[in-house]
Amino acid sequence: GAVVSQHPSRVICKSGTSVKIECRSLDFQATTMFWYRQFPKKSLMLMATSNEGSKATYEQGVEKDKFLINHASLTLSTLTVTSAHPEDSSFYICSAWTNTDTQYFGPGTRLTVL
Amino acid sequence: QKEVEQNSGPLSVPEGAIASLNCTYSDRGSQSFFWYRQYSGKSPELIMSIYSNGDKEDGRFTAQLNKASQYVSLLIRDSQPSDSATYLCAVGFSGGYNKLIFGAGTRLAVHP
């Protein structure tokens, strides 16, 4: 079946540093990928839609200058959390749709900002 | 504001029983509906998708959709302890772009 991978699975960083998270579609091409954030015991909140070859579309309330998204190829989207702070600590999950109208999620990246 | 509502639970059922999970949504134009299962610390995995009114069965799982009532449910027959997880209802946003709106999830606990 379709697989979406993420790297790293866990990252711990100091406040003020930047962290890059990669999302790859392994056996299909994805012109659109989605980035979600999930706080403990909360549901997934869509942060942005990543579009291959064009600018990402951010949801209301999500700072585009803080969460930089690059979708440089049909199989790779990256999310960079810039100048991370403890309140950015969360579970970040990407997803992609296949051409069979099924959305698959990556395994997630747990970010801890000290 | 498009919303998807779920009872947070926990829903506790004995092993072998039927678990019934419910979801209501506010976007009348939504055409696609999904149930995901999420284990603690893991990302969601797709269980069922449903697009038409009525029932859709897949193994022990049955999804039910009633667009007039804006209601979608998931039945799990012969519940197993391994089914214990949080079940997320997701609804396709009618504005397109393949965006999904998620409910907060219902925690299911199946006890032996």
Side-chain angles (χ1 to χ4, degrees), chain A residues 3 8 11 14-15 20 23 26-27 33 45-46 55 61 69-71 75 86 90 92 95-96 112-113:
Chain A
V3 177
V11 56
K14 292 182 178 180
S15 185
K20 180 186 284 188
C23 176
L26 295 185
D27 52 3
M33 292 184 178
M45 295 302 297
L46 180 65
K55 291 182 179 180
I69 291 173
N70 187 324
H71 196 150
T75 59
S90 188
Y92 292 85
S95 73
T112 302
V113 184

Side-chain angles (χ1 to χ4, degrees), chain A residues 41-86:
Chain A
K41 299 192 187 304
K42 300 294 185 182
S43 190
L44 278 72
M45 295 302 297
L46 180 65
M47 299 176 66
T49 303
S50 173
N51 304 299
E52 188 269 334
S54 65
K55 291 182 179 180
T57 304
Y58 290 82
E59 295 300 302
Q60 191 173 8
V62 178
E63 300 174 58
K64 61 181 180 181
D65 294 330
K66 180 171 183 61
F67 298 100
L68 301 179
I69 291 173
N70 187 324
H71 196 150
S73 77
L74 288 171
T75 59
L76 173 64
S77 174
T78 60
L79 168 69
T80 301
V81 183
T82 62
S83 186
H85 291 284

Side-chain angles (χ1 to χ4, degrees), chain B residues 29-105:
Chain B
S30 294
Q31 298 295 323
S32 56
F33 307 86
F34 305 85
W35 283 99
Y36 287 85
R37 177 174 62 196
Q38 186 175 27
Y39 292 109
S40 180
K42 304 293 185 182
S43 68
E45 55 179 323
L46 180 67
I47 297 176
M48 295 277 290
S49 60
I50 186 167
Y51 303 93
S52 305
N53 280 329
D55 295 359
K56 179 182 178 183
E57 188 173 318
D58 183 0
R60 296 187 295 113
F61 300 97
T62 299
Q64 300 174 316
L65 174 61
N66 183 324
K67 291 182 181 179
S69 300
Q70 294 174 245
Y71 174 91
V72 59
S73 66
L74 179 70
L75 300 178
I76 306 174
R77 289 181 299 281
D78 189 24
S79 296
Q80 301 296 310
S82 58
D83 294 326
S84 299
T86 296
Y87 289 80
L88 302 172
C89 172
V91 175
F93 176 53
S94 64
Y97 313 112
N98 282 338
K99 286 169 59 171
L100 294 185
I101 301 171
F102 282 84

